[in-house]
Amino acid sequence: MRKDIATPQYTKSILDKHKFKFKKSLGQNFLIDRNVLDKIVATADVSSETGVIEIGPGIGSLTEQLAKKAKKVTAFEIDQRLIPILEDTLSDYPHVKVIHQDVLEADLKAVIEAEFSGIDDLMVVANLPYYVTTPIILKLLTERLPIRGIVVMIQKEVADRMAAKPGTKDYGSLSIAVQYYAVAKSEIKVPKTVFVPQPNVDSSVISLTLREQAPVHVENENFFFEVVRSSFAQRRKTLLNNLQNNLFSKEQKPMIEGALQETGIDGKRRGETLSIEEFARLSNALLPLNRV
Ligand code: SAM
């Protein structure tokens, strides 16, 4: 029986054997705690029927625990130096495939079709590189992939923003972007001590369960997200001011006021107090104005 990769000693021996030096610019903080890995795998509810896409396998500590439970694991790793190391550390798991590619450039739909045909239950599970967390998650959500959900370790501050409720300091356009596509839940807080090297920030595991249908009716998605972004552009300004300054013009003020009145939303409120339903109503009412 092999030892777990995720112990401080074994991780060190793998790194020494391959003379591996961490690249900070690639967000390389490797997990060395089996308990945390077990919690991630359990949160993702990975079974022998599950196909898993992993992003950034590193030296394979999470990949190994996923491979013990999943039907198949396909992992994207950007760092060429890790490819031979992964071939070594994951040699016991023939149902793991590592693709040497920047996940942001990957055609995920095509990879899913090629790698997971006949597997209906798909999850994305990862300890994400923190420098690129938001673009990766938004790519996974907006491409409407046939996945059940996403369970990822990310910077705690970003997890808090993704799962935030209206009226809280963390609530913003990222909360709405994520919650439009998924039900977001911050699962566990993770201390810096479970990584080598230790990151400068605290981490959280967040689960994003994909919605089968959007939670609100939006006539034009792009415009809805423009309204949301504009409403948060200057957090201390009122909704009316933000919309007037960032999406429309001063001359359109009476029409913006008309749309606000029609939806029963007070223009003196701040964006951070509006629920996703209110943003949907507002963007539908403002849409004809956008076409003028
Ligand atoms: N999964 C490993 C673990 O938990 O120990 C490593 C996690 S480490 C936080 C992030 C990994 O993502 C690194 O191996 C890094 O090289 C890789 N990575 C960084 N940017 C990437 C990208 N754009 N596409 C794919 N992998 C990336």
Side-chain angles (χ1 to χ4, degrees), residues 165-168 171-172 176 227-228 231-232 239 243 260 263 265-283:
K165 297 275 170 279
T168 62
Y171 185 67
I176 294 170
V227 169
V228 170
S231 304
F232 286 103
L239 192 56
L243 290 170
L260 283 162
T263 52
I265 297 169
D266 186 345
K268 291 200 210 69
R269 285 170 64 184
R270 299 218 168 113
E272 69 205 45
T273 68
L274 264 68
S275 66
I276 194 163
E277 289 80 11
E278 288 177 309
F279 273 118
R281 253 194 289 144
L282 183 59
S283 80

Side-chain angles (χ1 to χ4, degrees), residues 11 22 27-33 36 40 127-128 130 153-155 190-205:
T11 294
F22 294 104
Q28 292 179 337
N29 302 98
F30 295 168
L31 272 168
I32 48 166
D33 186 307
V36 172
I40 296 174
N127 169 20
L128 285 180
Y130 292 178
M153 172 96 77
I154 58 177
Q155 188 176 336
V190 180
K192 299 170 187 162
T193 47
V194 301
F195 301 91
V196 281
Q198 291 189 16
N200 298 322
V201 292
D202 286 325
S203 303
S204 280
V205 175

